[in-house]
Amino acid sequence: MRKLTLAAVGDLYIGKPLSAESDTRFLAAVQMLRSTDVRFGNLEFQLLKPGIAGAHAAPGAWAGAPETFVQEVAWLGMDVVATANNHAGDYGEAGQRSTEEVLRAHAIAHCGTGPDLDAARAPSYLDTEQGRVAFVAASSSYVGHARAGRARGAVAGRQGGAPMR
């Protein structure tokens, strides 16, 4: 069996370009993160294409950044991010779709949100030289409109996050 190293970090709440950071301790932490085979973190903000407005309700603050901030997530070396969290609904369905599309365009896998409940609960797979790794994410803290809904027959489900309830 081949050894696989995985680094998991907490919330990625990026409000400024990290790639411009010069603090040696921070850069050493980033280098350690990048030295692993697989990197996973919680994307605690939405990656927003132009024109996306905040939802009618958010848990205290709307956590979003321009879609270009995906480059900072990639700079960190993130392979997979969880998108189910208390900020998943801050920009409604449009914000979630934007985030998912931007991540896919930059080859960063995500788990925890999707076009319906089954998709939001589905694992995201990452194939590595050491083997395949599966990731799932769910949130116990969310506003009601951010929760994914199940598809029923010809009726589409609701875009949202995988709830723990």
Side-chain angles (χ1 to χ4, degrees), residues 7-14 18 33 39-47 63 73 76 78-88 99 103 108-113 135-141 161-162:
V9 299
D11 296 345
L12 300 170
Y13 198 116
I14 302 172
L18 300 176
L33 181 66
R39 292 152 300 277
F40 175 75
N42 178 44
L43 191 69
E44 189 74 8
F45 66 99
Q46 301 289 286
L47 294 163
V73 177
L76 288 170
M78 289 292 124
D79 296 302
V80 182
V81 293
T83 51
N85 56 56
N86 61 307
H87 289 288
T99 300
L103 290 169
I108 300 172
H110 77 279
C111 54
T113 58
F135 295 87
V136 293
S139 181
S140 62
S141 176

Side-chain angles (χ1 to χ4, degrees), residues 12-26:
L12 300 170
Y13 198 116
I14 302 172
K16 67 177 187 171
L18 300 176
S19 55
E21 186 61 55
S22 61
D23 183 285
T24 57
R25 293 168 297 178
F26 175 74

Side-chain angles (χ1 to χ4, degrees), residues 121-147:
R121 288 179 172 167
S124 181
Y125 297 98
L126 183 67
D127 290 314
T128 72
E129 291 180 14
Q130 295 79 14
R132 179 175 258 197
V133 184
F135 295 87
V136 293
S139 181
S140 62
S141 176
Y142 51 84
V143 289
H145 71 268
R147 191 175 65 231

